[in-house]
Amino acid sequence: EEQLVESGGGSVQAGGSLRLSCAASGFGRDDYRIGWFRQFPGKEREYVCAISKSGGTTYYDDSVTGRFTISRDNTKRLANLRMNDLKPEDTARYYCAMKKTRTMTTDLEIAAWYDYWGQGTQVTVSS
């Protein structure tokens, strides 16, 4: 079965760091665009960052630029999100998403554009 599984979430104090991982399985040897989103309580999922198929191009929301780093290891079928200098406002459930279906548009900042989603992992940052 095609699926994504996030891991690495937890509780940390402000200024700390966490590394989230997204493991892909059932997709064969092909590589696809991956995005990270987060969902705050009572809100819809919001864009965090994204990475190209090869990992050569990355994109970040202004709220995390300079602090978060997205990467991928296609050999291991993993996508990672390194989060540094975490702030209380980063507290959310984080999801990885993958775009498999080929479309004319590349709306990597839009949650609805992605085909597959993991179950998410909770990140809590305290003061």
Side-chain angles (χ1 to χ4, degrees), residues 28-88:
R29 293 288 85 191
D30 292 333
D31 300 314
Y32 306 97
R33 296 179 180 86
I34 293 176
W36 281 96
F37 289 76
R38 60 187 177 182
Q39 187 169 28
F40 305 105
K43 303 292 185 178
E44 296 184 348
R45 296 179 186 182
E46 298 181 359
Y47 168 76
V48 176
C49 58
I51 190 168
S52 63
K53 297 177 181 180
S54 66
T57 307
T58 56
Y59 312 86
Y60 298 92
D61 182 77
D62 290 341
S63 65
V64 303
T65 185
R67 300 188 299 120
F68 290 12
T69 302
I70 185 173
S71 62
R72 66 191 298 165
D73 186 333
N74 290 338
T75 300
K76 297 181 178 179
R77 317 306 294 165
L78 288 174
N80 299 313
L81 178 63
R82 179 66 179 180
M83 305 181 293
N84 294 325
D85 191 24
L86 284 164
K87 306 175 184 297

Side-chain angles (χ1 to χ4, degrees), residues 4 27 30-35 37 50-53 72 96-108 110-117:
L4 304 175
F27 295 98
D30 292 333
D31 300 314
Y32 306 97
R33 296 179 180 86
I34 293 176
F37 289 76
I51 190 168
S52 63
K53 297 177 181 180
R72 66 191 298 165
C96 67
M98 179 178 289
K99 176 65 174 180
K100 180 180 179 181
T101 304
R102 181 173 296 180
T103 57
M104 292 299 297
T105 59
T106 305
D107 301 321
L108 53 88
I110 307 300
W113 182 73
Y114 293 85
D115 300 313
Y116 299 90
W117 292 84

